[in-house]
Amino acid sequence: MKFSVFHTPELTPIQNAADCAIAIDVLRATSTIVTALSAGADAVHVFSDMEKLVHESESVLPEKRLRAGERGGSKVAGCDLGNSPLDCTPELMGGKQLFISTTNGTRALQKIQASPSVLAAALINRHAVVDYLVEHQPEAVWIVGAGWEGSFALEDTVCAGAIVQSVADRLGCSLEELVGNDETVGAVALYQRWQDDLLGLLHHASHGKRLLRLHCLEDLKYCSTLDTLNVLPIQSEIGTLVKHA
Ligand code: MLT
């Protein structure tokens, strides 16, 4: 396995060469997707465009669907919910199709959707992602951070580092054997520095600060916890994620 970390969808090569590609948006899209599937959602459909989301979701009965929309950290008017994983309760999610569009996270997933295997990762499901990688051992693994509007995000990079470090530990191999680009070395170093205070790191992150201004401290706490949900979202068809069996 060789890992290549890309900090944003914009920095990800257009020509997809990954055997397995992983999108990360710790704050908060992939944390929300993991939580929705864990809470019983049947599937999550991701869109970068709100109008397309509304149009495509019309094909599902209103009682079987939920629309989630976020821009700038806030809920999009007219949607059932915004992008807080804390809203993804079993009562709300059970048996539903979730249609979601967020500022950056859903764009990261779209960027890698042509890969043979597409996963969604967050700190909360790091373990489930690592289990999959250790079992399948794909040759080229791309990790794409959502970032924020084209810029680097600390929270996505630290999660990438947490995944690579854990794979190295589980396989008993050196980081040298797993590293495919310089960004991967940086991601692991960031994780090694902050692994015991991930919430502290999220307080330094620009999007963490944005969410704190929006009174989302509980979201930060939830999204900063490692390995709490054993759920792996995997793409079943372009733009649709389901729980890996
Ligand atoms: C995004 O896609 O940029 C994020 O998930 C924003 C958020 O925190 O809702």
Side-chain angles (χ1 to χ4, degrees), residues 25 27-29 70 73 83 102-105 148 207 211:
D25 185 11
L27 295 175
R28 295 165 293 177
E70 167 277 334
N83 187 27
T102 72
T103 313
N104 305 287
W148 186 267
H207 188 48
L211 290 175

Side-chain angles (χ1 to χ4, degrees), residues 5 26-27 29 34 41 60 71 79 110 117 130 142 152 165 167 175 181-182 196 206 210-211 216 227 229 235 238 242:
V5 172
V26 168
L27 295 175
V34 170
V60 177
R71 289 294 179 268
C79 286
Q110 286 191 328
S117 169
V130 172
W142 283 12
F152 171 91
Q165 178 71 66
V167 169
L175 284 169
N181 66 358
D182 287 8
D196 297 326
S206 57
R210 184 179 295 107
L211 290 175
C216 296
D227 304 334
L229 294 181
Q235 184 173 267
I238 296 280
V242 296

